[in-house]
Amino acid sequence: MHTVVMGTSGTTAEDVIAVARQGARVELSAEAVEALARARAIVDALAAKPEPVYGVSTGFGALASRHISPELRAQLQRNIVRSHAAGMGPRVEREVVRALMFLRLKTVASGHTGVRPEVAQTMADVLNAGITPVVHEYGSLGCSGDLAPLSHCALTLMGEGDAEGPDGVVRPAGELLAEAGITPVELREKEGLALLNGTDGMLGMLVMAIADLNKLYTSADITAALTLEALLGTEKVLAPELHAIRPHPGQGASAANMAAVLKGSGLTGHFQEESAPRVQDAYSVRCAPQVAGAGRDTIAHASLVASRELAAAVDNPVVLPDGRVESNGNFHGAPVAYVLDFLAIVAADLGSIAERRTDRLLDKNRSHGLPPFLADDAGVDSGLMIAQYTQAALVSEMKRLAVPASADSIPSSAMQEDHVSMGWSAARKLRTSIDNLTRIVAIELYAATRAIELRHGLTPAPASQAAIAAARAAGVEGPGPDRFLAPDLAAADAFVRSGALLEAVEPVTGKLA
């Protein structure tokens, strides 16, 4: 099994995904253990002094004015975890919790938090044992960190609360730790606070969203090309010299992808052969590279923000190399929240344009010779009429989910935390949006492949033939009389979601962007 070694300088998106989704093991580097010990020595020295230091010998948030005596500090750290583990609602997905735990360990291992090496090792041990704390949907405002979600994870380290074992069964965390041979941690000065104070949940979801969207955008370029082909459109608008004079990188990449899929097609370029010749394709077809390309460029910006955050140590207070322990505002989730919202916007627009292309395929007045709703016997058969309804419902929800969460703020902690990012909420709705977008692309694939097969006597591009053959082999049925449609759509969804569409096309086109 792949092992990720955690050092002091952050981590990579690839490592986050390996731990969150693939169950990679985590080890602390010798450098990280040394940095942890150095920072802890600084915290211990400050704890021994009579002067109050925030997070070490004081209360938290609006209660920071109270100086806590040494005999109450262990209780203080336990209490902050217990009281902040106040989440409610459905359970958060296992991959999100694993990403959250791994990214909190990333900051802990930086040597800027003052956490003891044994606490960091326990965090790694819990991940490696496949123990996943039960984290709930609601409880984070995206400022002062993802407090409730991280608190539920810290509670598991203490052997309290509930967690999911490697067998998928939820049980008391203490039992799971005991079975794995892991000793629960006894938190000391600053450690409870350090385990809670980060943007780790929203960052983990951002990293996974970027990975998912990169794959989806390439898939959408393929389905857009299939639709252009099915509508007997022109591939001339994809010429690289046209996109070079408006040099947005994403636009050029999407156009190149579509052109690669359409190479060798016998369906494109039939404008003048119709009784009512077209001069131009509709915007949803002709402008596909511009819309998808703008989304690609937004993803690139989000990736830049994520890379900076992956290199960051997010805590309050932090231990600096010169021995100072300073309060700061680095836990504020605004940088992550904004790009999460940006991604929800571009995902909604990609879903919207894909739905418009699908609708065009089904309308006999705009499909240039295709049967109504791609039905076998229109009137007796309804064809894909209601598949487009489903697609439209998904798009409508995506538009609602595109309303930014980060534009909102709701004060908390007796007005001490009076401006928050709502980044966790932005991340949660983005995950729903990506799920919807996958289904929307799958429906366009379903419609476009059927439409191409209905163009009798015309030969589709080799890449299109490969996509159709792979889809049919995967249970995505072709033209024919009406049948129970939901299983076909589910098969198309699985085909796109798994990456099988890309795997079918790229041996013909070469690697797509």
Side-chain angles (χ1 to χ4, degrees):
M1 183 180 293
H2 177 60
T3 298
V4 172
V5 178
M6 180 65 75
T8 60
S9 57
T11 190
T12 66
E14 292 76 16
D15 283 347
V16 173
I17 291 170
V19 173
R21 290 182 164 170
Q22 300 158 16
R25 292 183 58 80
V26 181
E27 292 181 2
L28 295 171
S29 70
E31 173 197 26
V33 173
E34 292 171 7
L36 284 158
R38 283 196 304 271
R40 185 64 208 180
I42 293 170
V43 170
D44 286 341
L46 289 171
K49 292 183 177 181
E51 297 84 8
V53 177
Y54 176 70
V56 175
S57 53
T58 71
F60 309 114
L63 303 175
S65 58
R66 179 177 172 183
H67 183 225
I68 307 299
S69 60
E71 65 274 11
L72 294 177
R73 291 177 189 169
Q75 181 181 341
L76 170 68
Q77 300 301 321
R78 287 194 302 272
N79 285 352
I80 190 175
V81 172
R82 289 168 175 166
S83 65
H84 285 45
M88 294 185 73
R91 282 180 58 195
V92 171
E93 304 87 355
R94 182 176 185 270
E95 67 177 17
V96 172
V97 179
R98 285 185 61 83
L100 179 153
M101 294 170 66
F102 177 68
L103 288 168
R104 182 77 315 228
L105 179 58
K106 176 263 298 183
T107 282
V108 167
S110 71
H112 290 295
T113 67
V115 168
R116 288 169 294 152
E118 50 264 44
V119 175
Q121 184 59 55
T122 302
M123 297 171 75
D125 291 343
V126 168
L127 281 167
N128 293 339
I131 297 170
T132 307
V134 171
V135 173
H136 299 280
E137 182 83 16
Y138 302 105
S140 172
L141 301 181
C143 199
S144 281
D146 290 318
L147 286 174
L150 283 163
S151 297
H152 282 276
C153 293
L155 201 65
T156 294
L157 299 179
M158 293 165 49
E160 301 181 17
D162 292 327
E164 179 186 296
D167 59 358
V169 177
V170 173
R171 294 164 53 198
E175 292 181 11
L176 292 169
L177 294 185
E179 289 179 6
I182 300 171
T183 302
V185 296
E186 294 283 346
L187 298 177
R188 288 168 46 179
E189 290 93 344
K190 195 184 179 298
E191 290 179 334
L193 184 61
L195 294 176
L196 316 185
N197 226 335
T199 55
D200 309 292
M202 65 183 91
L203 176 59
M205 286 186 275
L206 173 62
V207 168
M208 291 186 285
I210 290 168
D212 293 340
L213 285 169
N214 278 329
K215 183 169 69 176
L216 265 176
Y217 266 72
T218 305
S219 298
D221 289 340
I222 295 171
T223 60
L226 294 173
T227 297
L228 184 153
E229 196 172 26
L231 290 171
L232 306 179
T234 178
E235 79 286 7
K236 291 181 179 180
V237 295
L238 305 174
E241 56 268 27
L242 293 175
H243 299 279
I245 62 175
R246 194 189 190 194
H248 293 290
Q251 175 180 324
S254 282
N257 283 348
M258 291 180 66
V261 172
L262 292 170
K263 185 177 181 181
S265 174
L267 278 77
T268 58
H270 291 269
F271 279 17
Q272 302 306 316
E273 298 177 14
E274 300 182 51
S275 58
R278 281 171 285 162
V279 176
Q280 298 175 325
D281 284 315
Y283 282 11
S284 61
V285 177
R286 187 179 5 140
C287 302
Q290 285 77 10
V291 173
R296 284 174 171 270
D297 292 340
T298 303
I299 296 169
H301 172 63
S303 298
L304 176 62
V305 172
S307 69
R308 291 168 176 164
E309 198 77 359
L310 288 167
V314 179
D315 192 19
N316 179 49
V318 293
V319 181
L320 297 174
D322 61 7
R324 286 179 294 150
V325 176
E326 296 285 1
S327 292
N328 66 92
N330 284 345
F331 51 75
H332 200 288
V336 182
Y338 293 160
V339 292
L340 287 162
D341 279 334
F342 296 165
L343 293 179
I345 291 168
V346 299
D349 202 34
L350 185 65
S352 180
I353 197 171
E355 182 274 330
R356 287 293 80 205
R357 290 192 295 263
T358 303
D359 182 67
R360 184 166 290 270
L361 287 168
L362 305 187
D363 184 352
K364 69 181 182 65
N365 297 310
R366 295 180 291 141
S367 66
H368 310 289
L370 290 169
F373 303 106
L374 306 181
D376 186 64
D377 184 5
V380 174
D381 295 314
S382 295
L384 306 191
M385 180 190 295
I386 307 305
Q388 184 267 332
Y389 282 38
T390 299
Q391 198 181 38
L394 291 163
V395 170
S396 182
E397 182 176 51
M398 289 184 73
K399 291 175 180 178
R400 295 191 296 273
L401 293 170
V403 175
S406 58
D408 186 27
S409 176
I410 188 162
S412 57
S413 194
M415 293 298 287
Q416 175 71 8
E417 299 168 10
D418 58 353
H419 183 84
V420 296
S421 77
M422 303 307 298
W424 173 274
S425 299
R428 296 306 295 165
K429 68 185 182 65
L430 177 59
R431 285 179 69 82
T432 302
S433 189
I434 290 171
D435 272 347
N436 285 358
L437 179 59
T438 306
R439 298 179 183 111
I440 289 164
V441 171
I443 292 172
E444 183 180 17
L445 170 77
Y446 187 61
T449 55
R450 175 182 282 212
I452 288 172
E453 290 186 306
L454 290 171
R455 293 291 189 188
H456 303 297
L458 296 173
T459 304
S464 303
Q465 295 178 47
I468 293 169
R472 300 297 175 254
V476 183
E477 297 294 336
D482 280 359
R483 56 183 171 269
F484 181 22
L485 204 55
D488 279 5
L489 299 182
D493 177 48
F495 185 69
V496 171
R497 194 176 297 269
S498 67
L501 174 59
L502 302 184
E503 292 170 5
V505 168
E506 287 186 330
V508 181
T509 62
K511 182 69 176 176
L512 297 174

